[in-house]
Amino acid sequence: MTTTLITGGTVVSATGRVLADVLVDGERIVAVLAPGSQLLGSDLTASVDAVIDATGKYVIPGGIDAHTHMQLPFGGTSASDTFETGTRAAAWGGTTTIVDFAVQRTGERVQDGLAHWHELAAGNCAIDYGFHQIVGGVDADALAALPGLIDEGITSFKMFMAYPGVFYADDAQILRAMQVAADTGLLTMMHAENGPVIDVLAEQLVEAGKTDPYFHGIARAWQAEEEATHRAIMLANLTGAPLYVVHVSAKQAVEQLATARDKGQNVFGETCPQYLYLSLEEQLGASSEQWGAFEGAKWVCSTPLRSRAEGHQDHMWQALRTNDLQMVSTDHCPFCMKGQKELGLGDFRAIPNGIGSVEHRMDLMYQGVVTGEITLERWVELTSTTPARMFGMYGQKGVIAPGADADIVIYDPNGHTSIGVDKTHHMNMDHSAWEGFEIDGHVDTVIARGKVVVDAGQYLGRAGDGRFVKRGLSQYLI
Ligand code: URP
Ligand code: ZN
Ligand code: ZN
């Protein structure tokens, strides 16, 4: 077993920062020590196998991206990152655990969907991984299968109020599934958009010749997100199920969550970097020499990018500060322009929905520290500690403390990261949704369960380093 001492860094947690040395033995953190500490008179630096000098740098718990879709079959194609390429890119960016979504559809058994997802991931991941369960066909068989997921380490499941004919669940199905969640402690995750309403608006736009990606954002109006968020909250209230709303982008949806939380309801919300930085006007409405107005397809995702003029982005940052939103995940669901996004040339409805960001979440959120949107501690909380607590991994993940997995990132606040396909880009995509973004910081070293997997611009890990994480119940249950 290798012993490693990380010296001289500032250890940052969700609650504070301290100059400390971190001792790793094999796969675990075994001590957090005063700098230069002499344990029983011994010079630790001389007795460990490796010393990593983190002077002037932050030492943080590895990022946990609790919303990814590796290899997701969607929109007539499949997300372009495999578990191998996507988790390697995640490691490059300082994420050491992902929670991906196993898929069940109408007519399929939940157990079979889950088994298939295990087959896709096992032996291929660069970092640890867990699963949520997508329940795309809420029938009696699926409802009966839900409680058994807990013993499998799957303690959360996602339903969709959007995508009629694909993953869509109606109110009756949602109610029944939430009743199971309330009885068992499973956490209900909700894609909260009114799909039937969106489909009518989208059809009318296309009939009127408004077929460019921009109109994806018009069809998926904020009213459809607010209404669905409110409905999900009320159904959760009725059943007593806790609720976690994924990829929140509309300020009105945040207000629904905040109101429910103020009334004491156990509801949570996640946003994503794209809803903090990107917009309907600048990205969905973009045009280029290569693609013309179809350039915006790079940013077609659901929920959609919202209008900057309406102030959604500023409101998301504010909600992260005030804890009206609790987490930032990526909803990593990458598609290439060639052969994938271009399926929707001439009809935005056929553009596969999704953006790839798994590699950049830690950097993008750190830039929020630099610009004063969030504190250093909140950065760690939003990207690692709360995801661990929300999804039943805290103690093992999400913290630098004795007994925790040695998932550690050494982050240089004096470094710099330029994002772009010819710069920092390891995701399996032919473009970057983050082209040209500049970050005033740098992921220097990434340690995943005790193994240095990224250091000094080199990838040192391999497929199969990552193991399945059996998760417990959410630690926010009351
Ligand atoms: O655009 C998105 N979000 N694609 C992935 C599927 C989902 O709804 O999360
Ligand atoms: Zn979704
Ligand atoms: Zn998603």
Side-chain angles (χ1 to χ4, degrees):
M1 287 239 277
T2 308
T3 50
T4 306
L5 188 67
I6 303 166
T7 62
T10 300
V11 175
V12 186
S13 74
T15 54
R17 59 189 94 172
V18 62
L19 277 175
D21 296 346
V22 179
L23 182 60
V24 172
D25 187 6
E27 297 190 348
R28 307 250 183 285
I29 296 165
V30 290
V32 180
L33 304 157
S37 169
Q38 306 262 310
L39 267 187
L40 302 175
S42 71
D43 177 2
L44 276 180
T45 55
S47 32
V48 292
D49 298 312
V51 175
I52 299 175
D53 182 5
T55 304
K57 299 176 185 173
Y58 298 130
V59 180
I60 61 168
I64 300 174
D65 190 340
H67 188 155
T68 68
H69 297 284
M70 305 304 171
Q71 304 182 225
L72 177 73
F74 195 50
T77 182
S78 288
S80 58
D81 262 321
T82 62
F83 276 94
E84 180 172 352
T85 61
T87 58
R88 189 168 58 220
W92 271 104
T95 285
T96 54
T97 306
I98 59 163
V99 190
D100 204 84
F101 286 84
V103 179
Q104 177 263 357
R105 285 194 180 78
T106 305
E108 293 172 0
R109 293 176 71 240
V110 168
Q111 295 90 333
D112 294 344
L114 177 57
H116 179 53
W117 233 251
H118 273 296
E119 276 164 29
L120 294 178
N124 291 321
C125 292
I127 53 170
D128 286 352
Y129 60 96
F131 296 141
H132 313 285
Q133 181 69 51
I134 283 178
V135 189
V138 187
D139 54 20
D141 190 54
L143 290 170
L146 286 179
L149 290 174
I150 295 174
D151 286 342
E152 305 284 330
I154 320 288
T155 54
S156 41
F157 66 98
K158 179 178 177 187
M159 289 184 291
F160 293 79
M161 302 168 99
Y163 308 140
V166 187
F167 291 131
Y168 176 74
D170 65 26
D171 292 351
Q173 292 171 311
I174 290 168
L175 184 86
R176 287 185 195 280
M178 282 184 171
Q179 286 170 336
V180 177
D183 287 346
T184 55
L186 284 164
L187 183 59
T188 303
M189 305 172 80
M190 191 62 75
H191 180 132
E193 284 185 296
N194 188 322
V197 159
I198 287 168
D199 278 8
V200 171
L201 295 176
E203 188 180 287
Q204 291 169 346
L205 285 162
V206 171
E207 278 170 6
K210 297 178 174 176
T211 60
D212 289 337
Y214 176 80
F215 295 102
H216 169 84
I218 302 302
R220 303 190 90 89
W222 61 260
Q223 290 90 338
E225 185 181 347
E226 180 180 12
E227 184 279 327
T229 304
H230 178 73
R231 190 157 30 100
I233 288 169
M234 295 316 293
L235 294 174
N237 190 303
L238 185 59
T239 56
L243 175 70
Y244 177 97
V245 182
V246 295
H247 49 53
V248 176
S249 65
K251 63 182 181 183
Q252 295 85 353
V254 173
E255 283 160 7
Q256 292 292 334
L257 288 164
T259 302
R261 286 173 62 80
D262 288 350
K263 290 182 184 165
Q265 197 175 330
N266 209 17
V267 299
F268 308 96
E270 151 203 282
T271 193
C272 311
Q274 52 268 35
Y275 307 125
L276 296 162
Y277 285 105
L278 311 179
S279 73
L280 171 74
E281 297 92 339
E282 294 148 299
Q283 277 77 30
L284 268 180
S287 179
S288 70
E289 223 169 86
Q290 185 184 7
W291 294 103
F294 194 69
E295 175 76 6
K298 292 177 178 173
W299 297 279
V300 164
C301 61
S302 297
T303 58
L305 304 186
R306 301 268 175 218
S307 162
R308 196 179 294 285
E310 291 175 5
H312 298 279
Q313 294 76 4
D314 286 347
H315 199 89
M316 294 299 131
W317 281 114
Q318 179 184 304
L320 290 175
R321 285 191 293 276
T322 55
N323 208 39
D324 289 329
L325 294 173
Q326 294 76 36
M327 277 178 49
V328 178
S329 313
T330 55
D331 192 9
H332 179 75
C333 193
F335 296 101
C336 292
M337 285 293 272
K338 282 268 162 222
Q340 296 198 296
K341 292 278 188 183
E342 66 181 1
L343 291 169
L345 270 167
D347 186 344
F348 66 82
R349 294 174 298 179
I351 301 170
N353 283 203
I355 288 183
S357 312
V358 75
E359 184 172 353
H360 303 308
R361 184 185 62 126
M362 298 303 286
D363 278 326
L364 290 165
M365 293 313 297
Y366 180 73
Q367 194 61 20
V369 177
V370 173
T371 56
E373 298 283 4
I374 53 172
T375 66
L376 196 58
E377 287 78 7
R378 187 67 174 155
W379 174 50
V380 170
E381 189 170 29
L382 293 168
T383 56
S384 181
T385 307
T386 299
R389 294 190 67 199
M390 188 68 71
F391 293 113
M393 296 180 279
Y394 185 76
Q396 180 186 353
K397 308 284 186 193
V399 63
I400 293 187
D405 284 353
D407 293 342
I408 300 169
V409 173
I410 300 174
Y411 198 86
D412 185 359
N414 298 307
H416 188 86
T417 306
S418 297
I419 302 180
V421 276
D422 297 328
K423 296 167 182 162
T424 312
H425 185 90
H426 300 90
M427 299 174 288
N428 187 32
M429 299 172 70
D430 61 4
H431 66 278
S432 172
W434 303 97
E435 189 70 43
F437 271 68
E438 301 289 335
I439 308 293
D440 298 308
H442 189 259
V443 173
D444 274 12
T445 306
V446 181
I447 303 172
R449 246 187 312 98
K451 176 173 173 177
V452 176
V453 292
V454 174
D455 189 45
Q458 298 246 45
Y459 179 68
L460 306 168
R462 61 176 183 81
D465 280 341
R467 277 195 220 134
F468 177 66
V469 181
K470 266 186 125 175
R471 299 184 291 110
L473 295 181
S474 170
Q475 287 153 323
Y476 287 103
L477 294 182
I478 43 176

